[in-house]
Amino acid sequence: MTQQLLTTRTLMNRIYKDLCGFEIPSEDNQRVKKSKGSPVYGEIRHAALNKLLAFLKLDKKDVFYDLGSGVGKVVIHTALTTLVKKSVGVELSLLRYKEASVAFGRACEYEPLLKSKITLLHKDLMSVDLSEATVIYVCSTAFSIKFMKEVSKRLAQFTHPFRLVSLQELPDEKHFRLLKILRLDMSWMRSTPVHIYERRSASSHA
């Protein structure tokens, strides 16, 4: 880091001093609902994210994806504090994507190396290519059971090894193996169950 005297918390507070993804315009709401997702917004707490990243132990071979990345806090925090090769945010709300882009620009002013580590995509999580992902994070708390089934089916299409972090238990675990349940603080509730899975190999569920 070029700003050694700044803690990550202080740096993130500066980057996001006037950015907030909790309220979005009606056209964004409709866009998200049309995709069958949820426009409801929430965030993992700073210290909780540190605990999650400590468990994941991301290294230079990892490509991290946040599906429904909002204003990009998890994406930027991950790029700042881990050795991850790439940190990618996927967000359907145009306003949240734009605010994430502003935050990304500010983050690069503090740490120029982030330009090559972070990618922000204004796309639907149900259509984005995840073939290079080694870790996928999805803040799925507000997803309906029906949509969670569709998400599980979509993720199961990718057969390469990866870990999945979901804030909701998968309705169908045939293609995934539960590794751990962490209890982490979120903006809406303390000690929220966070399910960490790994993609099963084809031979293990054949």
Side-chain angles (χ1 to χ4, degrees), residues 28 30 34 52 115 141 169 200:
D28 266 8
Q30 293 304 314
K34 187 177 180 179
L52 174 61
K115 290 181 181 179
T141 302
E169 184 178 5
R200 290 181 184 271

Side-chain angles (χ1 to χ4, degrees), residues 47-59:
L49 180 53
N50 282 334
K51 291 179 181 178
L52 174 61
L53 294 175
F55 177 85
L56 293 173
K57 295 182 173 64
L58 303 176
D59 61 30

Side-chain angles (χ1 to χ4, degrees), residues 54-146:
F55 177 85
L56 293 173
K57 295 182 173 64
L58 303 176
D59 61 30
K60 294 179 180 179
K61 296 179 181 179
D62 281 307
V63 177
F64 176 89
Y65 270 73
D66 181 358
L67 303 184
S69 52
V71 295
K73 286 187 177 180
V74 171
V75 174
I76 293 174
H77 187 127
T78 299
L80 277 170
T81 61
T82 74
L83 297 173
V84 71
K85 178 181 179 182
K86 189 191 296 187
S87 187
V88 183
V90 180
E91 177 55 49
L92 189 55
S93 161
L94 182 58
L95 177 63
R96 288 171 181 159
Y97 167 76
K98 287 182 176 179
E99 292 198 342
S101 298
V102 171
F104 176 33
R106 291 176 182 173
C108 290
E109 292 177 5
Y110 289 99
E111 181 49 85
L113 293 177
L114 293 181
K115 290 181 181 179
S116 63
K117 291 183 69 173
I118 292 175
T119 300
L120 299 175
L121 302 173
H122 179 224
K123 291 188 176 181
D124 189 329
L125 66 87
M126 293 297 289
S127 61
V128 70
D129 182 11
L130 299 170
S131 58
E132 66 172 352
T134 62
V135 177
I136 298 171
Y137 174 83
V138 55
C139 185
S140 53
T141 302
F143 290 176
S144 67
I145 294 176
K146 181 179 179 181

